[in-house]
Amino acid sequence: DTQGQTPAGTTVRDIDIRLSGKQGEAREVLASFTPILIGTENCLLGVALDVTSRRRTEAEMRKLSRALEQTADTVMITDRDGIIEYVNPAFERITGHTAIEVLGQRPNLLHSGKQGPEFYRAMWECILKGEVFSEVFINRNRSGEIYYEQKTITPLRDNTGEITHFVATARDISERIEFEEQLRYLAEH
């Protein structure tokens, strides 16, 4: 009995189709066609799935990903324990550390020693309470040079309200700090 069987050696064909909905809105449909044998007749079995929402979500995710990758500000994402899970190219450019070097590490690899434990203790207290922490960080890049960042650390919560990650965005303000120091020096002398 060959009723409902797929002939040997055939493949499913997926086709993207753009359709108009009832109100004229564009819909994206993924249609799959499989040749099957019903009795002695060759037939096509078709299944269609509306993927409009999924495609929009995928497009938004690609746009957000490009924004993170192309922004001039550094972006770092850590888990709740401070383990680095993501850094963008600006982070690599400013710190001199590659993503491969820092993933799985803690951000304290950037500490310059110019800010004491009380600074970091206050930061952790703030972000673990779910509050945003924004301050100037004095860090050291891979080659040992000091640089200044205006950094904002934002807790990320899951749908139950639990903090799962932290996102740190920062702008290198080293030139501004150096300029301000030069002005102070000139004013004093």
Side-chain angles (χ1 to χ4, degrees), residues 39-51:
T40 59
E41 295 290 320
N42 286 320
C43 300
L44 278 180
L45 173 65
V47 177
L49 177 65
D50 185 340
V51 293

Side-chain angles (χ1 to χ4, degrees), residues 178-189:
E178 289 173 21
F179 181 71
E180 289 171 357
E181 287 175 359
Q182 289 173 356
L183 286 177
R184 250 190 314 278
Y185 176 80
L186 291 174
E188 293 171 358
H189 293 89

Side-chain angles (χ1 to χ4, degrees), residues 2 4 20 30-31 33 37 39 43 53 98 106 118 120 130 136 149 168:
T2 57
S20 292
L30 180 61
F33 298 96
L37 190 59
C43 300
S53 178
T98 66
R106 294 181 181 274
E118 64 283 345
Y120 296 102
V136 173
E149 288 184 307

